[in-house]
Amino acid sequence: MKNLIIASTSTIHGSGYLEYILDELTLFFKDTEEILFIPYARPSGISHEDYTAIVQKAFDKINIKANGIQTFENPIEAVKNAKGIFVGGGNTFVLTTMLYKNNLIEILKLAVENGTPYLGTSAGSNICGLTIKTTNDMPIIYPPSFDALKFVPFNINPHYLDPDTNSTHMGETRETRIKEFHKFNTPPVIGLREGSWLRVEGESILLKGHLSARIFEANKTAYEVESDTELSALK
Amino acid sequence: MKNLIIASTSTIHGSGYLEYILDELTLFFKDTEEILFIPYARPSGISHEDYTAIVQKAFDKINIKANGIQTFENPIEAVKNAKGIFVGGGNTFVLTTMLYKNNLIEILKLAVENGTPYLGTSAGSNICGLTIKTTNDMPIIYPPSFDALKFVPFNINPHYLDPDTNSTHMGETRETRIKEFHKFNTPPVIGLREGSWLRVEGESILLKGHLSARIFEANKTAYEVESDTELSALK
């Protein structure tokens, strides 16, 4: 049975790394004392080691050991044997490139199909959708494909941001960008605000956190869904 | 002799399409009464025809006919015969994909090398750099490559936006994104604010418009350059 937390962000304003979601993670990872951490997205380009140290500091609070995938000789075996997986945020293009390069796409799919709990934040959530075509990140590396892990039958837009009505900047708003996506692609997109996450259990996909989320479907007006809404029909 | 205007944006706040730069364009296109317009970037996914109509309306004011490339049977011949070229803004991934698909990369390079005046705005400016890896756009289409036209020996970040110090949003600032780019790539990046443009004449690359621009070089602190600064040494 699939078992995922797909979170918009690792960190909400004025709070520590993963702090807002730690109680949830205690329950989520209750059957294991160690998880596999995949630091490939390298936020601000930090090293895998430095990133793992930041993550370990947060997981110390719930007595979980986070083993960085870079410490394993064989990353495929590391995924296969993991009792829990966390893919952290950073740059989605860097993350996707590394997953393809290390042949981890199919083995991650298999692990999640077999029920290994998977936590994603930001870039680590982006790759849970059909493609990475709705990432906000800068394309600093050319990945072999934009196809993602397809754990949910739609696309994710993490860190969803409402238009700033006071702005004089002429760059596109997030909503405009997602509408552009729908001129060339059909899958729905869920705009997940910071502090929101999707809780996937088997066929169920529930929106969690305090905020509403914004749903974009091709040829439809965008609309809001409240927390605890079941989203499994969205495809 | 190369002859380009590489503009951050087509439109500044409170002003019409291309209005802020029309006087400059009168001089720039003084030797021709018609130009080739390449609408491939399709802002908000509008059609090539609708985009060309918007552009024609602006060029009407300086008595220039803008011929949409979609009206030519052979786009390669259209570029070859053009007396001036304008590549408009929209989505850089859509634009790049179409240029590759229609085999226009090499012929555009040749035209610009031979002195055909080239105007780019936003996405049409992004592709003037080495790669499209510093675009702000959403990757809604997977292009055959991120390599761009390389008219200047660095990368462009159009619509450059200073960090909003009041924001509680945890998504990356533009500066953070460009610093991430430099963890994986070495070329300099010029952050062009809206209303700024680069004027390329032969080997000279001058910053124009009222604002300063922000220069990012690998392993260096970012710095500002004032209008009229010569940037040909930046590589």
Side-chain angles (χ1 to χ4, degrees):
Chain A
M1 194 186 83
K2 276 199 276 190
N3 187 20
L4 298 95
I5 290 178
I6 300 172
S8 174
T9 185
S10 62
T11 314
I12 59 173
H13 185 70
S15 161
Y17 188 78
L18 290 178
E19 201 176 312
Y20 77 100
I21 204 170
L22 271 184
D23 289 349
E24 190 73 20
L25 296 185
T26 307
L27 285 169
F28 187 64
F29 288 129
K30 66 177 164 26
D31 293 332
T32 179
E33 282 163 359
E34 52 183 345
I35 59 167
L36 178 70
F37 174 56
I38 301 183
Y40 291 160
R42 301 179 58 187
S44 302
I46 60 168
S47 71
H48 295 150
E49 290 69 26
D50 288 353
Y51 196 7
T52 305
I54 291 167
V55 164
Q56 184 59 67
K57 215 173 140 189
F59 275 98
D60 274 344
K61 293 174 194 157
I62 57 171
N63 301 309
I64 286 178
K65 176 85 171 58
N67 300 311
I69 196 167
Q70 75 282 2
T71 64
F72 293 84
E73 208 172 312
N74 184 333
I76 295 175
E77 286 297 314
V79 171
K80 203 182 277 178
N81 297 326
K83 300 272 184 293
I85 296 170
F86 171 34
V87 181
N91 186 288
T92 305
F93 296 88
V94 177
L95 170 59
T96 304
T97 302
M98 280 295 281
L99 292 180
Y100 275 100
K101 214 168 150 182
N102 289 340
N103 294 308
L104 292 178
I105 302 288
E106 292 311 315
I107 196 76
L108 276 169
K109 283 183 181 171
L110 197 64
V112 166
E113 278 306 324
N114 289 341
T116 309
Y118 176 107
L119 166 67
T121 59
S122 192
S125 292
N126 230 313
I127 59 169
C128 294
L130 297 174
T131 69
I132 62 164
K133 290 181 181 174
T134 51
T135 176
N136 312 307
D137 295 338
M138 205 170 246
I140 58 178
I141 284 189
Y142 183 67
S145 169
F146 284 171
D147 282 345
L149 295 167
K150 306 183 200 297
F151 295 149
V152 290
F154 45 78
N155 264 32
I156 314 275
N157 180 252
H159 300 280
Y160 182 75
L161 195 59
D162 293 293
D164 175 359
T165 49
N166 293 318
S167 175
T168 59
H169 188 256
M170 303 301 285
E172 295 88 350
T173 66
R174 192 68 59 79
E175 180 147 348
T176 302
R177 291 171 193 276
I178 297 173
K179 280 182 181 162
E180 257 183 26
F181 168 83
H182 276 139
K183 296 282 177 171
F184 300 90
N185 304 272
T186 52
V189 180
I190 178 158
L192 274 182
R193 294 186 177 89
E194 293 176 346
S196 295
W197 67 93
L198 299 178
R199 183 71 181 92
V200 182
E201 292 180 276
E203 295 308 305
S204 168
I205 308 172
L206 276 183
L207 175 65
K208 303 303 281 185
H210 301 301
L211 302 170
S212 64
R214 195 156 183 85
I215 310 280
F216 302 85
E217 295 187 73
N219 307 313
K220 270 176 90 166
T221 307
Y223 58 95
E224 296 285 320
V225 290
E226 298 303 315
S227 185
D228 282 322
T229 300
E230 173 60 64
L231 294 164
S232 55
L234 190 69
K235 57 187 64 154
Chain B
M1 193 187 82
K2 278 198 276 189
N3 187 18
L4 297 96
I5 290 177
I6 301 173
S8 174
T9 185
S10 62
T11 314
I12 59 172
H13 186 69
S15 163
Y17 189 79
L18 290 178
E19 202 175 312
Y20 77 100
I21 203 168
L22 270 184
D23 288 348
E24 190 74 21
L25 296 184
T26 307
L27 286 170
F28 187 65
F29 289 128
K30 65 178 167 21
D31 293 331
T32 179
E33 282 164 0
E34 52 184 343
I35 60 167
L36 178 69
F37 173 56
I38 301 184
Y40 291 158
R42 300 178 59 187
S44 302
I46 61 169
S47 70
H48 296 149
E49 290 70 25
D50 288 353
Y51 196 7
T52 306
I54 291 168
V55 165
Q56 185 58 68
K57 217 174 137 188
F59 276 97
D60 274 345
K61 294 174 194 157
I62 55 173
N63 300 311
I64 286 179
K65 176 86 171 57
N67 300 310
I69 195 167
Q70 75 282 2
T71 63
F72 293 84
E73 210 172 311
N74 184 333
I76 294 175
E77 286 297 313
V79 171
K80 204 181 279 179
N81 298 326
K83 300 273 185 290
I85 296 170
F86 171 35
V87 181
N91 186 289
T92 305
F93 295 89
V94 177
L95 169 59
T96 304
T97 302
M98 281 296 280
L99 293 180
Y100 275 99
K101 214 168 148 182
N102 289 341
N103 294 310
L104 293 178
I105 303 288
E106 293 311 317
I107 196 74
L108 275 169
K109 283 182 182 173
L110 196 65
V112 167
E113 278 306 323
N114 288 341
T116 310
Y118 175 106
L119 165 68
T121 60
S122 191
S125 292
N126 231 313
I127 60 169
C128 294
L130 298 173
T131 69
I132 62 163
K133 290 181 181 176
T134 50
T135 175
N136 312 306
D137 295 339
M138 208 173 244
I140 59 178
I141 285 189
Y142 183 67
S145 169
F146 284 172
D147 282 346
L149 296 168
K150 307 182 200 298
F151 295 149
V152 289
F154 45 78
N155 263 33
I156 314 274
N157 180 252
H159 300 282
Y160 182 74
L161 193 59
D162 293 293
D164 176 359
T165 48
N166 293 317
S167 176
T168 59
H169 189 257
M170 304 300 287
E172 294 89 351
T173 66
R174 192 67 60 79
E175 179 147 347
T176 302
R177 293 171 192 277
I178 297 173
K179 281 182 182 164
E180 258 183 27
F181 167 83
H182 277 140
K183 295 282 178 172
F184 301 90
N185 304 273
T186 52
V189 180
I190 179 158
L192 273 183
R193 294 187 176 87
E194 293 176 345
S196 295
W197 67 92
L198 300 178
R199 184 71 179 93
V200 182
E201 291 181 276
E203 295 307 306
S204 166
I205 308 172
L206 277 184
L207 174 66
K208 304 302 281 184
H210 301 301
L211 302 172
S212 64
R214 195 156 182 83
I215 310 281
F216 301 85
E217 294 188 76
N219 306 314
K220 270 177 91 166
T221 307
Y223 58 95
E224 296 286 318
V225 289
E226 298 304 314
S227 185
D228 282 323
T229 300
E230 173 61 63
L231 295 165
S232 55
L234 191 68
K235 57 187 67 154

